[in-house]
Amino acid sequence: MLRIFLILSLAVALAGVVVSFVLKDKAQVLSEQRDTFRDERDRAVAAETRARDSERQAREAEKSAKDELELVQQELTVTTTRLNETDGLLARRSQELQETIVSRDTAQRRLSRWEALGIEPEQIANLQSRTERLAAERDAFAAEKQVMGREIARLSEELDLYRGKITEVQMPDVRGLVTAVDGNYQFVVLDRGAEDGLKRNGKMIITRGETLVAKAQLVRVEARSAVANLMPDWVQDQVQAGDQVMTSYEALPR
């Protein structure tokens, strides 16, 4: 019986040793697998980190490239604008140069003709100055004559009116606008004057659209404006700035 018990004990001990060796081998395998998985995990994490870093660097590089492209495009636009301005300036300078050359050639031809006549440059300058002065005086006299002519015509017409030779002052067909109205003194200011053919005592009608508003008689006529008194019997409505004005039928030449 004892022998059987010893045999069983020995068998159990041997089984424990075998199990211990098996578990030890299994533990070593699991430890190696754990180390392998840990290394693979670390490599995967490192690879992911490198990938993220590469992606971030790529985004930064793309942004930098876009910014640089925008700067280049802006510089290109500025350069193109400057180039166009330079081309325009060059064209103007070329035209000015051509005009200067033509003026120089013309001046040289004129100088040659004056030299052929034996006239000095100082005399030419004096003659040109005198010519310009005489031309200015001629223009001033012509303008004065025109003003005097209008004044003589106006005075003659007023004299004929006072003498009873004419009953209405005749004027051309003039159309304009009322620029100002004085309701207290019942007069209006017009944007037409003597240069347009208006005359003192001439009659104008004031309309708004197709409606007759009033009739007025000119009391003061300047070169480009006139003042007219409203004729009470003809006032149909209140005159406003911007109303149309035209020569009355009575004042039109027959």
Side-chain angles (χ1 to χ4, degrees):
M1 187 67 179
L2 179 62
R3 182 180 297 176
I4 294 173
F5 179 75
L6 291 174
I7 292 172
L8 291 174
S9 298
L10 181 60
V12 170
L14 289 175
V17 171
V18 172
V19 170
S20 176
F21 279 110
V22 171
L23 291 177
K24 183 178 180 181
D25 292 340
K26 188 64 174 180
Q28 185 176 359
V29 170
L30 291 176
S31 177
E32 292 176 354
Q33 288 180 349
R34 181 197 61 189
D35 294 340
T36 301
F37 291 155
R38 182 179 297 170
D39 292 340
E40 290 178 353
R41 183 198 63 188
D42 293 341
R43 287 195 297 271
V45 170
E48 182 180 2
T49 301
R50 289 194 299 272
R52 289 179 179 177
D53 292 339
S54 299
E55 183 181 2
R56 178 179 54 80
Q57 293 175 358
R59 286 198 300 268
E60 291 176 352
E62 181 182 5
K63 184 178 181 301
S64 177
K66 287 182 178 179
D67 294 340
E68 185 175 359
L69 178 60
E70 290 179 358
L71 290 176
V72 171
Q73 289 176 342
Q74 292 176 359
E75 292 178 357
L76 178 61
T77 301
V78 172
T79 303
T80 302
T81 302
R82 291 179 178 175
L83 178 60
N84 293 334
E85 293 175 351
T86 303
D87 290 341
L89 180 61
L90 178 61
R92 291 194 297 273
R93 292 294 180 268
S94 298
Q95 183 177 359
E96 291 174 358
L97 176 60
Q98 187 64 30
E99 293 174 352
T100 302
I101 293 174
V102 172
S103 299
R104 182 204 61 189
D105 294 342
T106 302
Q108 287 178 347
R109 287 194 298 269
R110 290 179 178 175
L111 181 60
S112 299
R113 289 197 296 268
W114 287 112
E115 289 177 349
L117 295 174
I119 300 177
E120 296 297 329
E122 292 79 5
Q123 294 175 307
I124 298 174
N126 292 334
L127 288 173
Q128 288 179 339
S129 177
R130 184 180 179 185
T131 300
E132 292 175 356
R133 186 179 69 255
L134 292 175
E137 291 178 356
R138 179 202 61 197
D139 295 339
F141 286 140
E144 184 180 10
K145 180 180 178 182
Q146 186 177 6
V147 172
M148 291 177 64
R150 288 200 300 265
E151 186 66 14
I152 290 172
R154 184 185 65 81
L155 293 173
S156 298
E157 189 167 326
E158 288 188 2
L159 183 59
D160 290 339
L161 182 64
Y162 292 145
R163 289 174 176 174
K165 292 183 179 181
I166 57 175
T167 57
E168 293 289 344
V169 176
Q170 294 185 345
M171 299 183 299
D173 184 8
V174 178
R175 299 171 185 269
L177 295 174
V178 174
T179 58
V181 180
D182 189 305
N184 294 329
Y185 294 97
Q186 293 294 293
F187 71 84
V188 295
V189 180
L190 311 181
D191 67 347
R192 295 290 184 268
E195 292 184 356
D196 303 295
L198 297 187
K199 301 175 183 178
R200 189 171 178 270
N201 292 322
K203 294 178 181 178
M204 309 290 290
I205 60 174
I206 302 171
T207 61
R208 188 177 304 131
E210 302 296 331
T211 304
L212 174 66
V213 177
K215 183 183 287 189
Q217 190 167 22
L218 299 169
V219 294
R220 189 172 76 244
V221 180
E222 305 293 340
R224 296 184 178 179
S225 63
V227 177
N229 286 336
L230 296 177
M231 301 172 67
D233 294 339
W234 286 88
V235 176
Q236 304 294 316
D237 196 355
Q238 184 177 0
V239 181
Q240 300 174 3
D243 285 344
Q244 295 86 18
V245 63
M246 67 181 68
T247 305
S248 172
Y249 177 77
E250 300 168 283
L252 292 174
R254 299 295 187 272

